[in-house]
Amino acid sequence: MTGPPSEGSAPVPPREGLSSAEAARRLAADGPNRLPEGKRSPAALLLFRELVHFFALMLWAATGLALLAGMPQLAVAIAVVVLLNGGFAFAQEYRADRASKRLRELLPSDATVRRDGRRAVVSAAALVRGDVVLLEAGDRISADLELTEAHSLAVNQSTLTGESVPVRPRERETLFAGTFVVEGQAEAVVTATGARTRLAAIATLTGMASRPPSPLARQLSKVIKVIAVSALGVGVVFFGLTLLLGMSPSDGFLLALGVTVALVPEGLLPTVTLSLARAARQMARCKALVRHLEAVETLGAATFICTDKTGTITRNEMTVVLIWTPDGPLDLAAPATAAEIMRSAVLCSTGRLVRTDGGVKSVGDPTEVAMHALALRAGVGEDTAVTRRYPFDPVRRRSSAVTGGRLHLKGAPDAVLPLCGDVPEAARALEEMSASGLRVLAVARRDNPGTGTAEQVEQGLTLLGLVGLEDPPRDGVADAIITCREAGIRLAMITGDHPGTARAIADKVGLLGREPLVITGRELPADDAALGELLDHDGVVVARVTPQDKLRIARALRGRGHVVAMTGDGVNDGPALREADIGVAMGASGTDVAREAADLVLLDDHFATIVTAIELGRATYANIRRFLTYHLTDNVAELTPFLVWALSGGTLPLALSVLQVLALDIGTDLLPALALGAEPANPRTMHGPARTGALIERRLLLRVFGVLGATEAVVEMAAFFTVLSLGGWALGAEPSAALLATASGAAFAAVVLGQLANAFACRSETRWAGRVPLLGNRLLLWAVMIEAIMLLVFVGFPPLARLLGGAFPSAPGWVMAALAIPAVVGADAVHKAWRARRKS
């Protein structure tokens, strides 16, 4: 990413730098050196959006219809449901957004400059074009700079390029904001600040990428539209029937409105929201921060994961993994064997592990820090003073130091081995180490080097050995990849690193597919369709990619029907994270741009955490199907009395009132539905591909309408007519108000008890309720106990019972209602056994 300065950059000022007056003038003209923040919606607007999406609008319409129908209690209850649900969803996402904002630490707060001929520390926001910036190891670069002077300078650009090895820029090359100095000192001139930096350009590209709707949003939209159309259609039919039966248009209209409102599952929206929120809290406990609730389910639906390498698959810290010497490789399990070679390597290095009050801190080039770490383990001290040092430069590609009459040297093997005479074994070892993806340094020394230039003293060397380093994989990554494959999820490594290094790491963690494909960004097809076809395989490695490449990859794979999860931690990952179905950013080491673009932030930066999040996402999808089945079964039982009344031409009385239907939806049903949303993941959740089809499909509809709902409806109507018949009612007669209320109470009790059994039946789509561990979901046990108490309150508290239109059932009514429990459990067991036999 280093390169020549852009056209129109500020001319190089004199060494004394800008004057304070000129800096102030330029600051006023160009503005502060800050990244442009994306437009953030005010909290009030975020809350408003939660109250006006399609389902919420449908419930608001139901509220208005309830008012028109003369049922203010119903209207208030529905409005409260919408407000509470919207408030809860807003609070969850606002809290996640605030947590993400607290991670904002991309640019440093201060910078060292030379102004008015003096060294000064100023706010990074006060940097202007033409400022002379003084850099040293550990500094983050806070603006785009043109190098004017460099001494052993090494810059880590992994946040922009994904390349884990520091670069060695030369004078007149450009350093970019967001990178940081790991070694050396330098002077540079600011060429661009704020919105004009390369970093800001990538951030802008991120903002331009639109976030696609989640699979859950698409599925729920379909479900809601079907429910809305069905409710309106039934309402229209009922209005027509009332006119045919001789009702006045006003009374018929009110009844039709009541039926329409009754068919809207008011409890579905809060159940979905609370289920997603609960899963989000579980993910947070597993170090995964969900920034958008729908991302919970989207991750579970992922079919393709595009993962970065540096900091995601690997630790983003170099480690010595192999040392070859002319006497053979060393056993690093016994670090003392490496003492001699590490002593020389450390003496000609400046990178160190430094103890601070907060623990151990890395200072300098990561490769030198890695060798210092091994030297400490080998017992190597630093008791010898360096009398002369020859720093690294990009021409020699080596560094050396003289201590105690001996020269110690390390550098690129092709820059060191020719100085060591004929060592053919070293050439073979170098070839093998490089082929395995290691970064290799040669270490040598010379006695009595004399004095002179570096080129004069770095001659006649004795080779001590070759040191192989790598950015090692994180623990648990290989197991996580195996689990992903068992779950039918395809994997690709998308990195800015060298293809050889990327391939070696991919091979080490088991990511490479059976037919390995390693390709660079330059080799990618220009056509998106061809790109998707090329990459739509498991175990692909794409190296040397640009931000635009990652954006195209996400778009191409989505175009082939994949639900794409894109992981990353660098600024370069931001656009692709936004384009993917779900962006997964690193929270500890990631950049602010990546976190802002992501749907999910891994707080521990651990790739294996993704597996846990996927499992929770899949479990959430399964739980949504569970409580959707539960809600729809109840709707069948709620609609049946109205159908019976309509088909009888009004000769049979209504078994349930509209307010009783509402009491079922948000009174007795809500807690069991929420408990079903907390059902633990099945042990086989990660076996086989994710279920990404329609939430409502033929098998679910058959179970709802043909088994569970039908059974509840039969028992409900049987209880209703049993009480009426025992009370002296005859077909065609008008029952007394007291008798009708008692019978209606029995029908209501039958539905509630049927739903109690239905809650246990819905815990599994394949096993009958008796085979599912009763204590596996303790929340459900509490929920059904509360449901039973609510039933007694609704039918046993006279004022409330009268308001709803029912009364406490008679003894025969309770007996008939209680039959709903064995009837629902039995019907569900028979249906599951029949399905199992069909499969075998």
Side-chain angles (χ1 to χ4, degrees):
M1 291 288 293
T2 56
S6 58
E7 294 184 9
S9 61
V12 177
R15 289 184 60 86
E16 62 266 18
L18 298 175
S19 66
S20 297
E22 177 61 17
R25 187 190 68 78
R26 295 189 183 191
L27 182 62
D30 296 343
N33 177 37
R34 294 193 183 98
L35 285 178
E37 291 194 26
K39 293 183 179 179
R40 290 185 176 274
S41 301
L45 181 58
L46 294 176
L47 176 59
F48 178 74
R49 287 174 180 168
E50 295 295 341
L51 300 176
V52 294
H53 54 74
F54 185 81
F55 201 0
L57 289 176
M58 187 173 71
L59 293 180
W60 284 124
T63 302
L65 293 177
L67 287 173
L68 288 176
M71 293 179 284
Q73 302 94 332
L74 177 60
V76 170
I78 297 176
V80 168
V81 168
V82 180
L83 291 172
L84 287 177
N85 179 80
F88 192 89
F90 161 76
Q92 172 67 27
E93 298 204 5
Y94 184 74
R95 183 164 56 248
D97 186 61
R98 296 295 298 177
S100 179
K101 286 178 67 177
R102 286 194 293 270
L103 297 171
R104 190 178 179 89
E105 295 176 349
L106 184 59
L107 292 179
S109 58
D110 297 314
T112 303
V113 299
R114 186 180 292 120
R115 286 185 182 172
D116 302 314
R118 297 189 301 273
R119 182 186 182 99
V121 177
V122 300
S123 167
L127 285 178
V128 297
R129 288 178 302 107
D131 256 329
V132 175
V133 179
L134 310 179
L135 299 172
E136 59 185 29
D139 287 349
R140 281 189 180 270
I141 297 171
S142 47
D144 286 357
L145 311 173
E146 179 183 332
L147 269 178
T148 58
E149 184 178 333
H151 303 281
S152 303
L153 184 67
V155 178
N156 187 315
Q157 299 185 144
S158 62
T159 56
L160 288 177
T161 66
E163 172 67 71
S164 58
V165 178
V167 298
R168 299 277 182 174
R170 302 183 183 184
E171 293 178 2
R172 301 291 296 170
E173 289 187 341
T174 301
L175 306 179
F176 295 106
T179 60
F180 62 94
V181 178
V182 295
E183 181 185 359
Q185 300 83 36
E187 287 190 12
V189 178
V190 175
T191 58
T193 60
R196 292 167 290 279
T197 61
R198 174 72 63 87
L199 179 63
I202 297 177
T204 300
L205 181 62
T206 299
M208 291 172 59
S210 59
R211 190 184 303 279
S214 71
L216 179 62
R218 293 193 294 266
Q219 291 296 329
L220 284 178
S221 178
K222 291 179 182 178
V223 171
I224 293 165
K225 287 175 181 177
V226 169
I227 291 173
V229 171
S230 300
L232 290 174
V234 171
V236 170
V237 170
F238 264 78
F239 180 62
L241 285 174
T242 59
L243 296 180
L244 292 176
L245 294 173
M247 276 191 181
S248 66
S250 59
D251 289 342
F253 179 66
L254 292 178
L255 179 61
L257 285 181
V259 172
T260 302
V261 171
L263 291 178
V264 175
E266 291 83 3
L268 181 59
L269 182 60
T271 305
V272 171
T273 301
L274 292 173
S275 177
L276 293 175
R278 184 182 184 279
R281 288 195 299 273
Q282 286 181 299
M283 288 187 181
R285 287 195 291 269
C286 297
K287 305 298 185 181
L289 173 66
V290 175
R291 300 190 66 240
H292 307 283
L293 281 183
E294 290 175 354
V296 170
E297 186 275 337
T298 308
L299 188 60
T303 60
F304 209 115
I305 296 178
C306 298
T307 176
D308 189 21
K309 178 187 76 70
T310 305
T312 308
I313 295 292
T314 67
R315 299 176 185 171
N316 198 18
E317 57 184 42
M318 299 299 288
T319 301
V320 178
V321 295
L322 178 64
I323 296 179
W324 176 90
T325 70
D327 296 327
L330 301 181
D331 180 11
L332 296 185
T337 61
E340 182 181 13
I341 188 172
M342 284 297 100
R343 177 180 174 81
S344 289
V346 168
L347 285 172
C348 58
S349 302
T350 57
R352 294 290 186 270
L353 275 179
V354 179
R355 293 191 179 278
T356 65
D357 293 339
V360 178
K361 178 182 178 182
S362 298
V363 177
D365 188 318
T367 59
E368 295 185 347
V369 172
M371 290 187 290
H372 184 231
L374 180 58
L376 292 176
R377 290 167 49 208
V380 175
E382 297 186 49
D383 52 353
T384 305
V386 174
T387 57
R388 191 164 66 255
R389 190 178 293 279
Y390 298 94
F392 179 94
D393 70 59
V395 176
R396 290 165 42 245
R397 294 189 299 132
R398 56 185 182 264
S399 62
S400 60
V402 177
T403 174
R406 175 175 284 177
L407 176 80
H408 306 272
L409 178 145
K410 75 172 191 322
D414 58 347
V416 176
L417 293 181
L419 306 177
C420 298
D422 186 21
V423 192
E425 302 88 350
R428 288 194 296 271
L430 173 62
E431 183 178 354
E432 293 176 1
M433 294 169 74
S434 299
S436 64
L438 299 180
R439 186 186 183 197
V440 184
L441 293 177
V443 181
R445 70 186 179 199
R446 175 188 175 185
D447 292 331
N448 303 315
T451 59
T453 64
E455 288 76 8
Q456 291 172 331
V457 300
E458 293 173 349
Q459 300 290 333
L461 304 176
T462 300
L463 181 68
L464 296 181
L466 301 175
V467 179
L469 305 99
E470 71 173 3
D471 180 7
R474 290 180 175 273
D475 295 335
V477 168
D479 291 338
I481 288 173
I482 292 172
T483 303
C484 286
R485 291 218 162 100
E486 290 176 349
I489 300 170
R490 294 184 175 183
L491 298 168
M493 178 187 289
I494 314 294
T495 177
D497 218 333
H498 187 278
T501 304
R503 180 184 185 123
I505 291 296
D507 187 45
K508 181 165 292 188
V509 298
L511 187 143
L512 278 179
R514 295 178 180 176
E515 299 178 1
L517 173 63
V518 180
I519 190 171
T520 65
R522 291 184 178 181
E523 298 172 315
L524 296 176
D527 179 66
D528 280 359
L531 175 62
E533 183 177 359
L534 174 68
L535 300 183
D536 194 3
H537 304 283
D538 187 33
V540 176
V541 175
V542 187
R544 297 299 193 201
V545 294
T546 66
Q548 291 82 358
D549 291 333
K550 298 190 78 169
L551 195 65
R552 288 187 58 226
I553 289 169
R555 186 178 298 131
L557 291 174
R558 287 183 56 233
R560 291 180 65 85
H562 282 290
V563 178
V564 179
M566 181 75 71
T567 73
D569 60 352
V571 174
N572 60 318
D573 296 319
L577 294 180
R578 177 77 68 170
E579 175 66 29
D581 292 285
I582 180 163
V584 184
M586 305 298 111
S589 63
T591 62
D592 179 72
V593 172
R595 289 190 292 265
E596 288 298 313
D599 303 284
L600 189 75
V601 179
L602 301 182
L603 300 178
D604 60 357
D605 289 9
H606 205 307
F607 179 84
T609 303
I610 296 176
V611 176
T612 303
I614 288 175
E615 184 174 11
L616 286 170
R618 288 192 174 190
T620 300
Y621 180 83
N623 288 344
I624 290 174
R625 282 180 57 90
R626 288 185 176 100
F627 60 67
L628 185 59
T629 302
Y630 181 82
H631 276 300
L632 291 179
T633 299
D634 192 36
N635 274 15
V636 173
E638 293 167 352
L639 179 60
T640 298
F642 295 95
L643 288 177
V644 170
W645 174 84
L647 293 174
S648 71
T651 59
L652 295 177
L654 269 173
L656 293 178
S657 70
V658 173
L659 286 179
Q660 282 176 314
V661 170
L662 183 66
L664 289 168
D665 278 343
I666 60 177
T668 61
D669 274 1
L670 190 56
L671 288 180
L674 291 174
L676 285 173
E679 186 71 23
N682 187 293
R684 297 187 59 81
T685 297
M686 295 298 288
H687 289 236
R691 296 179 62 174
T692 56
L695 278 173
I696 298 181
E697 31 81 63
R698 189 178 66 86
R699 188 171 67 179
L700 185 145
L701 291 176
L702 173 62
R703 191 175 177 210
V704 166
F705 289 95
V707 182
L708 299 172
T711 304
E712 277 191 21
V714 168
V715 177
E716 167 195 22
M717 298 312 296
F720 179 67
F721 287 116
T722 296
V723 173
L724 285 180
S725 299
L726 293 176
W729 173 81
L731 185 62
E734 186 73 24
S736 66
L739 178 60
L740 181 59
T742 303
S744 183
F748 182 85
V751 176
V752 173
L753 295 176
Q755 284 294 92
L756 186 151
N758 186 30
F760 290 97
C762 288
R763 292 185 63 193
S764 171
E765 292 190 18
T766 57
R767 294 176 295 168
W768 80 284
R771 291 192 58 193
V772 182
L774 187 63
L775 299 180
N777 187 344
R778 295 178 183 274
L779 287 178
L780 185 60
L781 296 178
W782 285 104
V784 296
M785 284 193 291
I786 295 173
E787 182 181 21
I789 294 171
M790 291 295 293
L791 167 61
L792 295 177
V793 172
F794 282 139
V795 298
F797 184 57
L800 183 57
R802 284 195 298 271
L803 176 64
L804 297 179
F808 197 80
S810 61
W814 277 116
V815 171
M816 293 299 298
L819 291 177
I821 295 176
V824 168
V825 172
D828 180 66
V830 170
H831 176 245
K832 288 172 178 174
W834 172 73
R835 279 178 45 207
R837 281 197 298 271
R838 287 190 63 191
K839 282 186 177 181
S840 60

